[in-house]
Amino acid sequence: MIGESGFQISSGVFLMREEVIIEKIQSGNPAGLEALMDRYLPYVSAVVWHILRNAMPAEDGEEIVSDVFLAAWSRPEALRPGSVKAWLGAVARNKAKNRLRQINRTLPLEEDALDIPGPDDPPGEYERAVERQQVRQAVDSLPGPDREIFLRHYYYAQTVQEIARCMRINESTIKTKLRRGRMKLKEILTREGFLREA
């Protein structure tokens, strides 16, 4: 239930509506950032730790989570109603992967990864990707099992071994489907003008 004050009630807890949160952050009101953290801290933490696993101390993971919310505070224009969670998740994955690269840990991405603009890329690139949802549409165009494998690997950072175990498919088949998925996505995104051919 949503009240006139801009709060919605969920299981007896008052939560600030997303539109109000964005408005407060964009006007520089710290209450907006606090409300954003109240709502999305567990989600952002889960995304970060799913990628980091046990690669670094808890303090480093907490710092990355804080950096995600700092990015939201620093770039309020990137926050759009209905896409805040997706934006935070993308920033969290990007920052966690960058931190792993800094300590020379390999990411669970066999062969060459699809190079998709991230939140820390030049201004406008990431917002445009989110707005058009081109990447998601391209992923959705993959056949069901291939889409699940692709999302598990690139979105949830599962290894080939983990996917094979969960889906009961042999590892070579997983690798083949990932390679075909990358090729199809590159083809779609290049055709749409989202990626430039090398």
Side-chain angles (χ1 to χ4, degrees):
M1 184 174 70
I2 300 176
E4 294 180 4
S5 61
F7 289 85
Q8 61 187 20
I9 303 172
S10 176
S11 303
V13 177
F14 288 90
L15 296 174
M16 192 179 294
R17 287 190 295 123
E18 193 170 84
E19 294 84 353
V20 177
I21 292 174
I22 293 172
E23 187 179 305
K24 287 186 179 296
I25 291 176
Q26 291 179 343
S27 66
N29 186 336
L33 180 60
E34 291 175 18
L36 188 72
M37 293 180 72
D38 285 344
R39 178 174 293 208
Y40 292 117
L41 183 61
Y43 168 70
V44 170
S45 297
V47 171
V48 167
W49 284 110
H50 191 82
I51 292 171
L52 295 182
R53 302 175 191 272
N54 297 315
M56 54 186 62
E59 296 79 18
D60 290 337
E62 290 167 4
E63 182 181 338
I64 294 170
V65 171
S66 296
D67 286 347
V68 173
F69 289 101
L70 180 60
W73 179 254
S74 303
R75 300 183 56 197
E77 72 283 354
L79 303 177
R80 308 276 169 76
S83 64
V84 171
K85 184 175 182 180
W87 189 86
L88 289 171
V91 174
R93 286 190 299 278
N94 193 54
K95 288 187 177 294
K97 289 177 181 180
N98 284 344
R99 185 65 66 89
L100 284 179
R101 289 188 186 101
Q102 286 172 7
I103 62 171
N104 295 319
R105 288 293 295 266
T106 55
L107 298 172
L109 307 177
E110 286 72 21
E111 304 176 31
D112 59 315
L114 180 66
D115 187 17
I116 298 173
D120 292 334
D121 285 331
E125 285 297 313
Y126 182 69
E127 288 79 4
R128 183 162 58 90
V130 171
E131 289 170 358
R132 294 174 58 192
Q133 297 183 334
Q134 189 66 56
V135 173
R136 184 66 204 209
Q137 289 171 17
V139 171
D140 285 344
S141 73
L142 298 172
D146 292 17
R147 181 171 62 248
E148 181 179 350
I149 289 169
F150 204 88
L151 289 173
R152 280 177 178 270
H153 192 60
Y154 289 104
Y155 192 84
Y156 296 109
Q158 289 186 351
T159 64
V160 166
Q161 294 77 14
E162 289 171 329
I163 298 170
R165 187 171 59 250
C166 291
M167 296 185 69
R168 298 182 180 177
I169 300 175
N170 67 56
E171 292 180 18
S172 62
T173 301
I174 299 288
K175 290 178 181 178
T176 298
K177 287 181 178 294
L178 284 171
R179 185 166 55 250
R180 279 203 310 247
R182 283 195 301 271
M183 290 171 62
K184 182 168 185 180
L185 265 112
K186 281 188 176 182
E187 177 187 330
I188 293 170
L189 295 173
T190 301
R191 186 174 65 235
E192 294 295 326
F194 188 65
L195 289 178
R196 291 183 297 274
E197 294 191 61

